[in-house]
Amino acid sequence: MPRVTGSVRAEFSASGGATRLERSVHSYPLKIAKTFSFPNRQLGVYVMDASPGMMAGDRYELSWHFGEAANVFVTNQSYTKVHPSVPGAGGASEQRQKLVLEQGAYVEYMPEPVTLYKDARFRSATDVVLAPGAALVMSDIVCPGRLHRGELFQYEQYRSRLTVWLEEEPIYQSRQRLEPAASEVEAAGRFEDYTHLASFYVFSDRIGPDTTGMLRGALELFMEAGAPVYCGVSSAVKHGVIVSALGRRVIDLERVVETAWTAVRRELFGQPPLKVPK
């Protein structure tokens, strides 16, 4: 098993309506430099990576604990760049994450896209545990290589797993495994002429029978405006809604995520769009 080459463990608490980073431990090349005050008393957190990207055999571990009524936005400073998996040099790059949200915690976990370089192998596993009344908004975008270098679908393997529990009850799980050399990713019913993949998730007991339709309506208006994307909306077993999208450019999928995110903030949580400082 690959050794851990970078880690972050962070704990957040809330008191008097204000959220603070209670405790943070990190190991190079990952760290949390500082936190920022966002609107609505939300705490902004940026994860820094001092390396040029994930090398063959690297393993990142991120553990997040959000205390009762914590209000936190988490992202990272730049794309996660996955370098080639060199034979005999440790195999795949791995990232493991765990998010625990206590009662009433509200978390937006919106990392920058993952870029899979030629010959890259990347495995991602994320576990989420929600207490009653907690809410998680999360997204991810996957790029199929450095297109300006002609690396379209030249990575070796991409594997991803997301599992969500409401207390001890599993309410959602997804698994993806892409191996371009072993399958025709551009065949009908797969990516076709699309290249980039995005997912947007919301888990909250505020989700009702109209939430899926609300998101579909917001995305239909976006696509009717000429956006070159393909989107679908589905539901978890309970308290969850998922947007899946295909596109040809990161910027188009970022707009899909922004459209869904804005609708969710407005309709479910009564909040205006969040303008994230870059």
Side-chain angles (χ1 to χ4, degrees):
M1 180 176 291
R3 60 190 177 92
V4 177
T5 55
S7 65
V8 169
R9 297 179 62 87
E11 299 175 6
F12 300 84
S13 63
S15 178
T19 300
R20 65 179 179 272
L21 177 59
E22 191 73 32
R23 182 171 180 267
S24 174
V25 179
H26 65 263
S27 63
Y28 180 86
L30 302 181
K31 73 172 184 176
I32 297 174
K34 61 178 293 187
T35 58
F36 299 85
S37 296
F38 280 9
N40 193 37
R41 309 192 80 174
Q42 188 173 39
L43 192 70
V45 177
Y46 289 78
V47 177
M48 299 176 63
D49 187 344
S51 76
M54 298 188 73
M55 304 298 176
D58 280 359
R59 177 170 173 171
Y60 287 178
E61 290 192 350
L62 298 98
S63 178
W64 306 92
H65 188 277
F66 304 96
E68 185 173 340
N71 184 359
V72 184
F73 171 88
V74 181
T75 189
N76 49 0
Q77 285 192 317
S78 64
Y79 285 29
T80 296
K81 297 172 282 290
V82 185
H83 288 259
S85 176
V86 181
S93 306
E94 295 191 13
Q95 178 170 279
R96 295 182 177 270
Q97 304 181 96
K98 185 171 184 179
L99 292 79
V100 178
L101 284 69
E102 301 293 349
Q103 186 171 5
Y106 177 80
V107 177
E108 295 177 322
Y109 194 78
M110 313 289 281
E112 293 292 320
V114 172
T115 299
L116 304 168
Y117 288 9
K118 183 179 184 294
D119 298 326
R121 295 173 63 200
F122 182 60
R123 298 172 184 170
S124 172
T126 301
D127 294 293
V128 177
V129 181
L130 302 170
L136 174 66
V137 179
M138 184 168 63
S139 72
D140 62 70
I141 297 175
V142 180
C143 307
R146 295 170 291 184
L147 302 190
H148 63 283
R149 295 196 175 191
E151 291 183 351
L152 179 61
F153 293 124
Q154 292 186 14
Y155 59 87
E156 286 193 14
Q157 185 185 82
Y158 170 74
R159 294 174 63 177
S160 174
R161 176 186 61 78
L162 169 63
T163 307
V164 182
W165 286 268
L166 179 60
E167 296 188 294
E168 297 183 356
E169 178 186 7
I171 61 170
Y172 180 76
Q173 184 173 81
S174 67
R175 290 180 179 269
Q176 296 177 339
R177 178 168 178 163
L178 298 173
E179 296 181 348
S183 62
E184 297 181 12
V185 293
E186 295 173 277
R190 298 180 184 174
F191 277 80
E192 298 185 357
D193 63 339
Y194 296 103
T195 54
H196 294 61
L197 173 68
S199 299
F200 175 81
Y201 311 90
V202 186
F203 299 99
S204 169
D205 58 10
R206 297 193 184 193
I207 292 173
D210 297 331
T211 303
T212 300
M214 178 272 292
L215 276 172
R216 284 180 178 150
L219 292 169
E220 284 173 1
L221 289 173
F222 174 72
M223 289 187 286
E224 286 173 2
V229 295
Y230 184 83
C231 300
V233 183
S234 58
S235 299
V237 172
K238 63 167 64 171
H239 299 337
V241 63
I242 302 94
V243 174
S244 301
L246 293 171
R248 303 181 188 92
R249 301 185 305 169
V250 167
I251 190 171
D252 295 326
L253 292 183
E254 287 178 332
R255 288 171 178 164
V256 170
V257 169
E258 182 179 3
T259 299
W261 186 18
T262 297
V264 163
R265 283 181 65 94
R266 181 181 63 245
E267 300 297 334
L268 290 187
F269 303 107
Q271 297 296 325
L274 178 63
K275 300 300 181 182
V276 181
K278 293 292 187 178

